[in-house]
Amino acid sequence: MYSTLLTAVENSTLIITINRPDKLNALNKDVIEDLGKILEDVYTNNEIKGVILTGAGEKAFVAGADITEFGGIGAVGGAELAQRGADMVFNKIEKCPKPVVAAVNGFALGGGCELAMACHFRIASENAKFGQPEVNLGLIPGYGGTQRLTQLIGKGKAMELLMTADMIGAAEAKDLGLVNHVYPLAELLVKAKELLAKIQSKAPIAISHIITCVNEAAAAEKNGFINEIKYFGACFATEDMVEGTTAFLEKRKAIFKGK
Ligand code: COA
């Protein structure tokens, strides 16, 4: 039913596995569309009481937005790409009335880290790696990364990670509050299911109100998300973005000129 997702329901928990392991589960248009569709079902299907989001394979959760789709889309196209993702997937996960937990099983970079951060909380395997490497591409995050990373780990550390593009491991992500628990990869899904089972034993209406209220308490300045999309789009009109994305695809280091 979904060309880019594997799905399974166990004890009323829907397990969504993003399934492009040869591309490290990068988020292309099809993945965004499939996630959008399945989230509609999560909202309306009474048999689904919670969601685990994970990635196929042992290497990546999601290694970012699909860089091959960035070519020639320009500032307007860049902003549209970000807005569409926000509307169809990222904000829908954050506002989902049922618990959505990210089981981060490897690289969570760029849009992958942003996808994990849109979930209500995150658990990770020991091999997980987090980062926002957009500046390597002449870009900034466009799926809420500047806002949610700051909410989760605070301004100073968010500034550093966003500006250096450094990757951090699971243990550091836990110290920073980006993930709640770290487990061996083989135990990750078992633990995620246990957590969801515990939450699903509580009153569902109360849980949905918890999600709304905690989201409100943690909400960033509303314009933060709007401005991020605007500046993300603006990066697409720069020579540096063309150089950064071309360099990635040509597997070489980018040389930026500030243009
Ligand atoms: N978009 C498109 N393709 C991607 C991708 C992305 N974000 N991330 C990885 N891939 C592809 C690679 O191009 C490669 O494809 P190929 O086999 O056709 O050449 C495949 O996935 C495997 O990745 P590879 O780079 O060979 O694996 P690695 O182990 O050497 O490196 C990473 C792993 C995660 C460090 C590296 O893939 C990477 O830096 N990815 C991009 C991360 C990023 O910048 N994300 C933010 C995007 S906004």
Side-chain angles (χ1 to χ4, degrees):
M1 188 160 139
Y2 300 101
S3 64
T4 66
L5 308 176
L6 302 173
T7 61
V9 180
E10 276 180 47
N11 302 320
S12 305
T13 299
L14 172 67
I15 303 155
I16 304 174
T17 306
I18 299 173
N19 187 31
R20 296 183 75 209
D22 55 327
K23 297 292 176 192
L24 306 188
N25 304 318
L27 301 174
N28 64 6
K29 287 202 183 87
D30 293 343
V31 179
I32 294 293
E33 203 160 293
D34 282 349
L35 284 172
K37 271 193 227 149
I38 203 164
L39 284 162
E40 295 282 344
D41 192 39
V42 170
Y43 269 65
T44 53
N45 185 337
N46 291 335
E47 269 150 47
I48 299 171
K49 311 255 189 261
V51 178
I52 297 169
L53 188 58
T54 192
E58 300 202 335
K59 193 166 167 187
F61 173 69
V62 167
D66 192 318
I67 298 166
T68 63
E69 292 184 345
F70 284 178
I73 65 173
V76 174
E80 277 172 6
L81 177 98
Q83 188 69 59
R84 201 173 134 78
D87 295 342
M88 290 184 72
V89 176
F90 291 78
N91 293 345
K92 232 188 236 165
I93 290 176
E94 183 166 66
K95 293 189 179 136
C96 183
K98 303 167 186 180
V100 184
V101 175
V104 179
N105 58 308
F107 289 114
L109 302 176
C113 189
E114 292 170 294
L115 187 66
M117 292 193 293
C119 294
H120 297 139
F121 61 90
R122 290 139 294 285
I123 64 173
S125 55
E126 288 161 341
N127 61 312
K129 290 219 160 37
F130 297 81
Q132 295 290 160
E134 287 84 355
V135 290
N136 290 335
L137 303 169
L139 284 171
I140 66 167
Y143 287 143
T146 62
Q147 307 303 296
R148 294 194 180 99
L149 189 64
T150 309
Q151 292 168 12
L152 282 164
I153 70 172
K155 182 175 166 186
K157 213 50 206 176
M159 284 278 193
E160 182 186 341
L161 290 183
L162 290 162
M163 292 199 277
T164 59
D166 281 349
M167 263 191 238
I168 57 170
E172 189 175 353
K174 184 168 175 240
D175 287 346
L176 291 172
L178 187 55
V179 304
N180 294 10
H181 305 281
V182 178
Y183 302 108
L185 181 59
E187 287 172 29
L188 183 68
L189 276 186
V190 177
K191 295 293 182 184
K193 288 174 199 168
E194 280 173 17
L195 270 164
L196 261 300
K198 185 189 267 186
I199 296 168
Q200 284 164 206
S201 73
K202 319 295 179 192
I205 296 170
I207 294 294
S208 75
H209 292 327
I210 292 282
I211 293 167
T212 306
C213 292
V214 176
N215 278 342
E216 274 171 15
E221 186 17 67
K222 255 199 199 145
N223 287 336
F225 284 95
I226 294 165
N227 284 334
E228 187 192 271
I229 288 172
K230 187 173 88 190
Y231 290 119
F232 177 75
C235 289
F236 277 75
T238 64
E239 286 176 28
D240 282 349
M241 178 272 174
V242 176
E243 164 63 8
T245 50
T246 307
F248 175 79
L249 297 172
E250 291 175 355
K251 302 187 189 289
R252 63 173 173 82
K253 205 167 167 13
I255 300 164
F256 295 121
K257 296 189 182 139
K259 287 186 190 161

